[in-house]
Amino acid sequence: MGKMSSGTGTSGGQMPARRSTGARSAKRQRQISDAAAKLFRANGYVNTSMQDLADEVGILKPSLYYHIRSKEDLLYEIFAEIHEDVQRIMAEIDAQDDLDASAKLRLWARLHVHHAITHREKIAVFFQEVGSLSPERMAPIMVMRQAYERFVLSLIQGEQLDGKIDQSLDAKQLSLLAFGVLNWMHTWYQPRGGAAGDDRLADLCADFILGGLHSVASPGGKRPPR
């Protein structure tokens, strides 16, 4: 199950072109992207002007257009960045041929947590502004997103085939439950203890998801009274 190419899309099979980084500074581009995420989250995409972005970065407005073509291009880049990183999560898990379904599901939870921590500002913008991108620009983002959802679904189905989760349960619902636990970390996460603290949180989330799925949804297992 798998890895989707970032070239997949709806118009001739290609994603809308992202501006080349050839002559521009990658550091400056990241600075602009981070500033946009900060402003979009705080003020909203519609209420953020190109002048606001230029002021936040500390450059003149005309100089901003050297790095980006439009505000919508910048929103698209934010969305694409977090979903392309998700493809790398899938690739990393797929490469672990020696892991069983449980170990792969645990690895997914840990990697997803670290992704949510690293990109929390931009993930917040995605959920807040998901309707602000044009349908044409949103289409390839949704292709990547749906591939990720199918990938996690396949991990849970693998657990069912291994007998760790009751096969009579709806794997789609279970996968949505797992996403529901992790997708909103940007609303409550607070850095504590640096990288070690983030690792502990990733372990806690993985234990919570797998422990819940295995104890509540195991074949013949006792379920809490309703």
Side-chain angles (χ1 to χ4, degrees):
M1 193 71 184
K3 302 182 285 289
M4 298 292 294
S5 168
S6 62
T8 302
T10 59
S11 177
Q14 298 296 318
M15 288 178 66
R18 296 175 67 184
R19 195 170 174 85
S20 170
T21 59
R24 70 188 175 191
S25 163
K27 182 178 179 180
R28 175 66 82 186
Q29 178 63 20
R30 180 59 181 267
Q31 185 182 13
I32 293 171
S33 178
D34 290 348
K38 176 183 175 181
L39 293 176
F40 292 166
R41 185 179 188 184
N43 305 326
Y45 171 73
V46 172
N47 295 325
T48 300
S49 68
M50 294 294 278
Q51 186 62 60
D52 293 332
L53 288 170
D55 291 343
E56 181 69 24
V57 177
I59 61 178
L60 296 174
K61 182 178 175 181
S63 299
L64 197 59
Y65 288 101
Y66 177 78
H67 300 280
I68 60 172
R69 295 188 181 99
S70 68
K71 192 171 71 167
E72 187 183 33
D73 272 2
L74 193 49
L75 185 64
Y76 171 80
E77 294 239 4
I78 290 171
F79 286 9
E81 178 186 334
I82 58 177
H83 285 86
E84 286 167 1
D85 281 348
V86 156
Q87 291 185 7
R88 285 186 276 275
I89 289 176
M90 293 191 293
E92 181 172 344
I93 296 171
D94 271 345
Q96 308 299 319
D97 294 329
D98 57 328
L99 298 183
D100 63 12
S102 288
K104 286 188 174 184
L105 191 58
R106 175 175 293 277
L107 178 59
W108 164 73
R110 295 191 81 262
L111 292 175
H112 189 99
V113 168
H114 282 292
H115 177 261
I117 289 170
T118 303
H119 300 285
R120 59 186 180 277
E121 198 88 65
K122 294 178 180 179
I123 290 172
V125 171
F126 173 78
F127 284 111
Q128 178 180 309
E129 302 292 348
V130 68
S132 297
L133 206 60
S134 67
E136 295 77 14
R137 304 300 298 274
M138 195 64 198
I141 302 298
M142 292 308 298
V143 167
M144 290 188 282
R145 186 167 189 80
Q146 289 162 3
Y148 190 43
E149 291 171 351
R150 290 194 301 271
F151 179 78
V152 175
L153 173 63
S154 75
L155 296 180
I156 291 177
Q157 289 171 331
E159 285 273 70
Q160 289 179 313
L161 291 174
D162 285 352
K164 300 288 184 62
I165 298 175
D166 190 342
Q167 293 189 31
S168 69
L169 295 173
D170 187 333
K172 177 69 171 178
Q173 288 183 347
L174 296 178
S175 68
L176 292 174
L177 176 63
F179 275 119
V181 171
L182 301 181
N183 273 351
W184 299 96
M185 289 184 60
H186 62 274
T187 65
W188 56 262
Y189 169 81
Q190 294 293 330
R192 293 175 183 172
D198 291 345
D199 281 338
R200 286 194 295 271
L201 179 59
D203 286 335
L204 175 62
C205 290
D207 288 344
F208 184 83
I209 289 174
L210 268 78
L213 289 174
H214 290 172
S215 64
V216 179
S218 58
K222 292 184 178 180
R223 305 190 184 191
R226 297 181 181 179

